């Protein structure tokens, strides 16, 4: 008896054109031999492009590079995941990354990624990863799972330390909480009913107290020190 293939619409979010071509080849190969049929509905090289295509195409699956632009940390796969939460996206996001730092894995999964595959394991793991996440399950190979739980336990063990060593004002804490949720300066100003200049001033103070120089570093440091909950 012939089984009807499940058609899966896919959005590729990756700024490396050679790697994107490789994904095309793999997905085409899978479509020929497996019960899942993949239809690539768009390609994006930035977080802004990605969200625009999500709204237009509503893909069932997003294959997402977690670090789209190393020289521009705010334009990243993490930002895409943050924006997807605001859109109430109902598809699946699967991270494909050359980076497997503990904090990066943890943050991506915390923001709603359904799986994480290292790029050097794509050939052996991608189909299993896609099948797993499309079946509403989480895909974390053993080495990546180790990274995730290592940082999970680290955060759990440090939940009070930050409050003892870093002293934020109530307003700075509010700004930090919105930063963790992925809000822009403009959005924070609207939520808190203050000017953008005031938001920037509070962020500058928060960065100085945390000893960081970027929003991404502030998020990671705040999580490490337990200044915000891991479900923020």
């Amino acid at each position: 008896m012939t089984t009807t293939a499940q058609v899966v619409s896919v959005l590729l979010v990756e700024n490396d054109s050679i790697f994107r071509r490789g994904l095309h080849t793999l997905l085409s190969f899978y479509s020929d031999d497996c019960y899942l049929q993949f239809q690539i509905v768009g390609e994006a090289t930035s977080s802004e492009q990605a969200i625009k295509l999500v709204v237009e195409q509503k893909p069932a699956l997003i294959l997402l590079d977690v670090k789209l632009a190393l020289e521009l940390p705010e334009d990243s796969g993490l930002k895409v995941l943050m924006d997807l939460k605001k859109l109430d996206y109902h598809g699946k996001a699967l991270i494909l990354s050359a980076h497997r730092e503990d904090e990066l894995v943890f943050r991506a999964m915390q923001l709603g990624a359904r799986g994480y595959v290292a790029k050097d394991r794509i050939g052996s793991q991608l189909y299993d990863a896609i099948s797993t996440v499309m079946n509403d399950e989480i895909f974390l190979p053993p080495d990546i799972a180790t990274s995730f739980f290592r940082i999970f336990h680290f955060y759990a063990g440090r939940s009070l330390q930050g409050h003892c060593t870093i002293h934020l004002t109530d307003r700075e804490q509010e700004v930090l909480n919105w930063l963790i949720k992925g809000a822009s300066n403009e959005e924070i100003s609207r939520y808190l009913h203050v000017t953008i200049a005031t938001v920037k001033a509070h962020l500058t103070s928060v960065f100085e107290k945390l000893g960081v120089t970027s929003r991404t570093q502030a998020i990671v440091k705040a999580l490490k020190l337990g200044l915000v909950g891991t479900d923020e």
Side-chain angles (χ1 to χ4, degrees), residues 81-155:
L81 292 172
M82 291 174 186
D83 290 343
L84 290 177
K85 292 174 88 67
K86 300 174 190 176
L87 290 176
D88 195 25
Y89 171 65
H90 295 294
K92 321 291 184 187
L94 175 63
I95 297 295
L96 310 180
S97 180
H99 306 272
R100 56 183 88 189
E101 296 95 329
D102 292 359
E103 291 90 351
L104 196 58
V105 173
F106 181 84
R107 187 66 177 143
M109 299 304 295
Q110 182 195 27
L111 287 171
R114 301 304 296 271
Y116 202 108
V117 181
K119 284 187 174 180
D120 60 2
R121 305 288 177 84
I122 290 293
S124 61
Q125 295 181 351
L126 182 59
Y127 184 75
D128 287 343
I130 292 174
S131 299
T132 299
V133 301
M134 294 310 297
N135 196 39
D136 288 327
E137 298 175 353
I138 299 296
F139 182 86
L140 285 178
D143 55 331
I144 301 296
T146 297
S147 295
F148 175 81
F149 285 107
R150 181 163 49 225
I151 206 70
F152 175 84
H153 291 303
F154 177 78
Y155 290 153

Side-chain angles (χ1 to χ4, degrees), residues 49-99:
Q49 269 188 325
I51 294 303
K52 182 175 184 292
L53 286 169
V54 168
V55 172
E56 292 175 353
Q57 301 295 334
K58 298 178 174 58
L61 174 67
I62 302 174
L63 299 183
L64 175 63
D65 184 354
V66 77
K67 285 193 174 180
L68 290 172
L70 292 176
E71 71 280 4
L72 187 61
E74 302 313 318
D75 188 19
S76 69
L78 295 182
K79 185 176 189 309
V80 173
L81 292 172
M82 291 174 186
D83 290 343
L84 290 177
K85 292 174 88 67
K86 300 174 190 176
L87 290 176
D88 195 25
Y89 171 65
H90 295 294
K92 321 291 184 187
L94 175 63
I95 297 295
L96 310 180
S97 180
H99 306 272

